[in-house]
Amino acid sequence: GSPEMRQDISRIRQEMGRLSRERWGLERELVGVLSRKFLLKGSLVEKYKACNKQGCRCTRGELHGPFCYLSLSQEGKTKMIFIKRQHWQKAKELSTNYRQWRQRRARIVKINREMLALIDQMGKERTVEVSSLEKR
């Protein structure tokens, strides 16, 4: 093959090695650390509310709260689930675990796509025409 082809293949191999090492680290993190933790799907949201009782401070703009809710998408709709104050810290921890899990999973998906593109590129670089059989 030409020197350019060898450079392309070398670059592809180097990039695949880098992506593979990154994916391996993410997989270790998922399997080793995050798989031992519980996950709470959704995002925590703090809200202030008005009760609107006559004479209450909230009618003058001093709202009650904060109140904690879990914002969650189910069947295309956003649900807000009230979280009792004594469960806020645990909910925050589990929600953070879930976010970390999803971020790492998303990166692995992206790496896999990049690696498949490189594999396809390498295959294209290495594929010959039948007419070249006599030259080899």
Side-chain angles (χ1 to χ4, degrees):
S2 70
E4 298 86 31
M5 188 186 295
R6 282 195 298 276
Q7 282 179 333
D8 284 350
I9 294 296
S10 177
R11 183 191 53 76
I12 291 169
R13 284 185 184 134
Q14 287 172 1
E15 183 63 8
M16 285 186 66
R18 187 191 66 74
L19 289 168
S20 183
R21 287 186 298 277
E22 184 183 350
R23 185 177 65 187
W24 185 79
L26 291 164
E27 289 167 352
R28 266 191 45 208
E29 212 175 325
L30 279 174
V31 172
V33 177
L34 288 173
S35 68
R36 289 180 172 83
K37 295 181 178 183
F38 286 99
L39 314 171
L40 180 63
K41 182 179 180 179
S43 301
L44 294 181
V45 179
E46 282 187 5
K47 292 184 104 180
Y48 291 81
K49 294 187 141 196
C51 70
N52 293 319
K53 289 181 185 161
Q54 193 173 358
C56 182
R57 64 186 173 94
C58 70
T59 61
R60 295 184 304 276
E62 294 178 47
L63 300 177
H64 302 284
F67 299 103
C68 185
Y69 291 84
L70 181 71
S71 175
L72 178 64
S73 180
Q74 285 183 336
E75 298 166 15
K77 293 183 180 172
T78 301
K79 282 184 80 171
M80 297 292 272
I81 302 165
F82 179 75
I83 306 289
K84 292 181 181 175
R85 188 175 294 275
Q86 66 261 32
H87 300 304
W88 283 12
Q89 201 52 46
K90 191 64 177 174
K92 188 175 183 179
E93 178 189 324
L94 300 181
S95 177
T96 298
N97 292 348
Y98 180 76
R99 193 171 53 256
Q100 289 174 346
W101 177 273
R102 295 296 298 177
Q103 286 168 345
R104 280 143 187 88
R105 183 192 180 283
R107 181 61 188 139
I108 288 171
V109 167
K110 191 169 183 215
I111 287 171
N112 286 341
R113 285 194 191 115
E114 290 176 37
M115 288 184 76
L116 282 173
L118 290 169
I119 288 167
D120 291 346
Q121 194 179 341
M122 189 184 294
K124 193 174 171 187
E125 296 278 347
R126 302 305 297 169
T127 301
V128 297
E129 297 294 321
V130 71
S131 61
S132 72
L133 291 176
E134 293 154 10
K135 299 174 189 169
R136 297 198 175 277

